[in-house]
Amino acid sequence: METTGRLGVRGVAAATRGVPAEARRSVEGYLMADFPWYGLDEAFTGPRWLMQVGTAADGIVEYGSTGHGEEPSLRVETEMDQQRFTVVVTVAGRPVRDSADGTGKLEATSVSSAAWLAGSGLLSCTWPTRMERALRQDWLDQQTALAWELADDLAGEGWSGLSLPVDGVPADFHYRESEYGWVLAGSAGQNVHIGAYGRGMSAYGLGFAVVKDITRYDA
């Protein structure tokens, strides 16, 4: 069975990993989505930027990310703790459905889907200090597998509860911190799930809202 709980390990790279800005900054994919995009609400007045959408085999947009603050970079490895950003991941609520080729089933998306994408996204823009370059991929593979295990157990001890406003209404999120930053995930109205990750910006003061004009993020 194909899983969109993970939304495809390889597909995560498209929406969350540090691909070049010139390859990411395209609003067309966002405009093709049949669900609303979420970002930080109007209380955030800093820079906003696009990442990239993820699609199913049939081309249907399934998820995507919007960035806020400073764009994370791996170029200056020693300054990871100085980066300030929040990335919001929007995942369409999908039921169990047939795969594009008709040979299997796609699992329903869930809050775990959003948690997985957020967790792997944080890892992808992280370079652990005092680690040799040749070892980072092994570290990333191991930590990404752990991120999935955590996302699959949102009721576990690795998570705590956090209430944040979504379109002005308090909503419950699963939240966890690590030495690399924080991750949260929950459900919004309009049949979507929200994930977010960040570093240098406290999650406790954030609020989420539907993006009224996604072209505002298009640089």
Side-chain angles (χ1 to χ4, degrees), residues 31 58 103 111 132 171:
L31 296 174
D58 56 5
T103 61
V111 176
E132 294 181 14

Side-chain angles (χ1 to χ4, degrees), residues 135-155:
L135 298 177
R136 183 177 182 271
Q137 187 58 52
D138 289 339
W139 173 87
L140 185 59
D141 291 343
Q142 293 170 357
Q143 294 298 313
T144 299
L146 178 59
W148 170 245
E149 292 178 6
L150 286 166
D152 202 33
D153 185 22
L154 293 176

Side-chain angles (χ1 to χ4, degrees), residues 78-97:
T78 59
E79 297 184 3
M80 187 182 75
D81 59 346
Q82 298 179 20
Q83 297 177 351
R84 299 184 68 256
F85 66 88
T86 293
V87 172
V88 180
V89 183
T90 306
V91 183
R94 305 292 194 199
V96 175
R97 60 207 188 279

Side-chain angles (χ1 to χ4, degrees), residues 13-135:
T16 57
R17 293 194 175 178
V19 295
E22 61 271 16
R24 289 193 276 108
R25 296 183 180 280
S26 175
V27 75
E28 285 80 6
Y30 292 84
L31 296 174
M32 294 172 59
D34 61 359
F35 55 91
W37 295 105
Y38 274 82
L40 296 185
D41 61 21
E42 294 300 322
F44 176 78
T45 58
R48 297 173 183 253
W49 32 276
L50 294 178
M51 296 188 75
Q52 193 171 4
V53 302
T55 61
D58 56 5
I60 299 298
V61 176
E62 300 281 6
Y63 61 95
S65 303
T66 54
H68 310 77
E70 303 169 359
E71 296 191 51
S73 173
L74 296 178
R75 293 179 181 177
V76 186
E77 301 169 13
T78 59
E79 297 184 3
M80 187 182 75
D81 59 346
Q82 298 179 20
Q83 297 177 351
R84 299 184 68 256
F85 66 88
T86 293
V87 172
V88 180
V89 183
T90 306
V91 183
R94 305 292 194 199
V96 175
R97 60 207 188 279
D98 292 332
S99 61
D101 60 8
T103 61
K105 295 287 185 180
L106 297 176
E107 292 182 3
T109 55
S110 66
V111 176
S112 289
S113 307
W116 153 246
L117 286 169
S120 57
L122 178 63
L123 292 170
S124 70
C125 60
T126 299
W127 195 296
T129 58
R130 299 181 300 278
M131 177 175 287
E132 294 181 14
R133 183 175 298 272
L135 298 177

Side-chain angles (χ1 to χ4, degrees), residues 187-210:
S187 288
Q190 307 195 59
N191 197 32
V192 299
H193 307 295
I194 295 176
Y197 61 93
R199 187 159 54 230
M201 296 172 60
S202 173
Y204 288 87
L206 301 181
F208 304 102
V210 169

Side-chain angles (χ1 to χ4, degrees), residues 161-184:
L162 181 62
S163 179
L164 295 173
V166 177
D167 293 321
V169 178
D172 294 329
F173 288 88
H174 301 274
Y175 174 79
R176 67 180 178 88
E177 293 181 355
S178 74
E179 60 183 302
Y180 309 116
W182 53 263
V183 171
L184 61 79

